[in-house]
Amino acid sequence: AQSVTQLDSHVSVSEGTPVLLRCNYSSSYSPSLFWYVQHPNKGLQLLLKYTSAATLVKGINGFEAEFKKSETSFHLTKPSAHMSDAAEYFCVVSLFDSGTYKYIFGTGTRLKVLA
Amino acid sequence: ETGVTQTPRHLVMGMTNKKSLKCEQHLGHNAMYWYKQSAKKPLELMFVYSLEERVENNSVPSRFSPECPNSSHLFLHLHTLQPEDSALYLCASSQEVGGPSYEQYFGPGTRLTVT
């Protein structure tokens, strides 16, 4: 089955420390991958996307993610967490299925940033 | 106004009411989507429209009825809902349906409570 797995449902970090949110995918094809962020009572905002170009992708707000085919991973990182980063993060894979491309959402990781 | 807008932002309705959710995108996209986001569950894709034509309907109960009069507007008509339909309903748009790297742009959502 083709899918995406976010390994942690909750992550807590202290302000100023690095952030790592993990995402693994399974796919028979070369996928496109996305990270979205959702602040409370808001819609999802695109942070970054990978579409078979450079494997290290830089996004908004200092976030970046690295596509590792050998590990089937697309982990999201940020060198230094800010209080405003507290939100829910979704890893999404675009997979070819039944003749079309579909968005498959992970279950989300809630990031808490401690002062 | 830019991006994807949704109205109303909050809606409380009884099980016998009829109401409609509205979504408008100002991005010139050809594809629009309705998602349901419930607590502790992955995002559920409900409907997909491409150039006003419904291309996907993911086994959604008939008490939800979508309408897409043009490529900029999308409605979700609601009638005789159940309490378990209470959720955040998100609208999204993308340049096209089915492209591997077409990111989706989300509206802020309508928080629906069925009493």
Side-chain angles (χ1 to χ4, degrees):
Chain A
Q2 303 182 109
S3 69
V4 58
T5 302
Q6 291 184 244
L7 294 140
D8 307 293
S9 60
H10 293 82
V11 170
S12 290
V13 300
S14 297
E15 190 176 21
T17 64
V19 175
L20 170 64
L21 305 182
R22 298 183 294 167
C23 174
N24 284 93
Y25 69 93
S26 64
S27 172
S28 304
Y29 305 91
S30 182
S32 293
L33 294 151
F34 308 81
W35 275 101
Y36 283 83
V37 61
Q38 185 179 29
H39 289 91
N41 299 312
K42 297 286 181 65
L44 280 70
Q45 180 186 16
L46 180 68
L47 280 177
L48 49 81
K49 70 176 185 179
Y50 166 77
T51 56
S52 74
T55 56
L56 182 62
V57 182
K58 293 187 184 300
I60 61 171
N61 301 334
F63 284 95
E64 61 182 38
E66 186 171 9
F67 174 71
K68 292 187 176 179
K69 187 175 181 179
S70 60
E71 299 176 9
T72 61
S73 69
F74 190 58
H75 301 335
L76 182 70
T77 61
K78 182 173 180 177
S80 175
H82 191 272
M83 296 299 288
S84 60
D85 295 327
E88 188 149 23
Y89 292 79
F90 293 92
C91 182
V92 180
V93 59
S94 177
L95 296 172
F96 192 74
D97 179 41
S98 302
T100 189
Y101 285 91
K102 297 185 178 181
Y103 254 32
I104 309 296
F105 284 83
T107 51
T109 298
R110 187 166 297 278
L111 176 65
K112 187 174 182 179
V113 181
L114 307 171
Chain B
E1 193 166 7
T2 59
V4 181
T5 58
Q6 290 185 245
T7 55
R9 293 294 310 277
H10 301 272
L11 178 62
V12 179
M13 59 186 288
M15 290 191 284
T16 58
N17 290 160
K18 289 184 180 182
K19 296 286 185 183
S20 295
L21 309 185
K22 179 183 176 182
C23 174
E24 184 173 0
Q25 59 95 1
H26 309 268
L27 301 167
H29 289 166
N30 292 325
M32 296 188 77
Y33 310 78
W34 278 118
Y35 288 89
K36 177 183 179 183
Q37 186 177 32
S38 305
K40 303 186 189 304
K41 292 176 70 175
L43 256 71
E44 301 173 52
L45 178 64
M46 300 175 73
F47 302 104
V48 181
Y49 276 83
S50 175
L51 292 170
E52 303 115 62
E53 179 183 341
R54 191 187 314 178
V55 297
E56 191 162 338
N57 175 352
N58 285 330
S59 303
V60 179
S62 60
R63 58 186 184 268
F64 295 91
S65 175
E67 178 190 1
C68 188
N70 55 63
S71 59
S72 298
H73 294 85
L74 185 64
F75 295 89
L76 188 62
H77 303 300
L78 317 170
H79 63 98
T80 59
L81 294 190
Q82 304 297 311
E84 61 264 29
D85 297 324
S86 298
L88 183 68
Y89 288 84
L90 292 165
C91 175
S93 71
S94 66
Q95 187 174 347
E96 303 287 349
V97 169
S101 61
Y102 292 136
E103 61 265 35
Q104 294 184 18
Y105 293 81
F106 286 81
T110 294
R111 173 70 63 188
L112 174 66
T113 303
V114 181
T115 60

